[in-house]
Amino acid sequence: MIPRVKICGLNGPEAVDAAVDAGADLLGFIVFENSPRAVTPERAGELAARKGAARSVAVLVDPDDGLLARVREHVAPDFIQLHGKESPQRCAEVRAYAREGVWKAFGIGAAADLDAARAYEAHCDGFVFDARPPRGADRPGGWGAAYDWSILNGYESARPWLLSGGLTPANVAGAIAASGAPGVDVASGVESSPGVKDLAAITAFVKAAKAARGQQT
């Protein structure tokens, strides 16, 4: 099975085009003002129009209905990824604003953290397992921090999931092997500075991830 690849935090047309040309499966647009990769719903819509055969993902943090309506109007995302403290019931409600479904992100630091996802399986269409944010952080992800990816080895779910947190073109193959991940999600690991995508790194990341087989069958 070839791993699914998401390039997240896209905020410019050149980076979107690089991700599409490289064969990324999912394109993430972060609509959250605290992120150095933040875009407005209007800008996200302009960028998502370049997605080609890829799927668009609007990444939101505890969004209210007003923001969700703007995202649906301007982006019409294939998926919405929720990266806040949303309850299972809230995730189910948000499904109405996406074309294909809702994904929920979780911060992982120990095997016990995976238990939180169990309560969401009936309400979400997929998961993203990221590193826990540092203490006092003003945003829940995108810090480029790695963790023990082997925590996820053997994890079984009725839903697809993506490995995130500290991934780069140089380590993504090893991360897939260590975790058995069916897909990967990267933001800061393909940047030259926070919020500035490195086009060559995007291409290299997708190539390395797609070539990896790890422990998948």
Side-chain angles (χ1 to χ4, degrees):
M1 177 180 175
I2 298 175
R4 203 174 192 187
V5 179
K6 174 168 170 263
I7 305 296
C8 199
L10 294 164
N11 54 15
E14 296 84 0
V16 173
D17 292 348
V20 170
D21 291 345
D25 304 285
L26 300 159
L27 310 177
F29 306 99
I30 300 175
V31 184
F32 179 60
E33 61 183 11
N34 287 355
S35 172
R37 305 163 188 92
V39 291
T40 63
E42 293 79 6
R43 179 59 168 163
E46 294 171 359
L47 296 172
R50 310 173 74 94
K51 67 180 183 177
R55 297 288 195 273
S56 59
V57 183
V59 181
L60 310 174
V61 179
D62 297 308
D64 59 23
D65 289 351
L67 178 58
L68 287 166
R70 286 178 62 202
V71 167
R72 180 172 59 187
E73 176 185 358
H74 295 287
V75 186
D78 295 300
F79 296 98
I80 289 176
Q81 177 182 318
L82 296 173
H83 217 306
K85 297 180 180 179
E86 302 87 2
S87 68
Q89 292 72 27
R90 181 57 171 164
C91 291
E93 294 169 359
V94 171
R95 273 179 168 154
Y97 295 89
R99 290 175 179 269
E100 297 187 33
V102 170
W103 287 53
K104 182 73 177 79
F106 296 90
I108 304 298
D113 294 328
L114 294 171
D115 294 339
R118 301 297 182 192
Y120 287 78
E121 290 207 347
H123 305 275
C124 294
D125 303 281
F127 300 130
V128 176
F129 295 120
D130 200 355
R132 284 182 188 167
R135 187 179 299 275
D138 63 351
R139 64 181 192 273
W143 294 97
Y147 57 101
D148 181 1
W149 299 309
S150 67
I151 289 170
L152 287 153
N153 195 300
Y155 175 75
E156 295 182 1
S157 173
R159 303 301 185 185
W161 55 276
L162 303 177
L163 177 70
S164 186
L167 300 178
T168 68
N171 68 20
V172 66
I176 291 171
S179 65
V184 289
D185 182 352
V186 67
S188 61
V190 290
E191 293 180 345
S192 57
S193 60
V196 180
K197 288 291 188 279
D198 181 322
L199 306 188
I202 289 174
T203 301
F205 185 91
V206 176
K207 181 178 180 180
K210 293 286 187 180
R213 293 296 183 273
Q215 297 179 10
Q216 302 178 58
T217 58

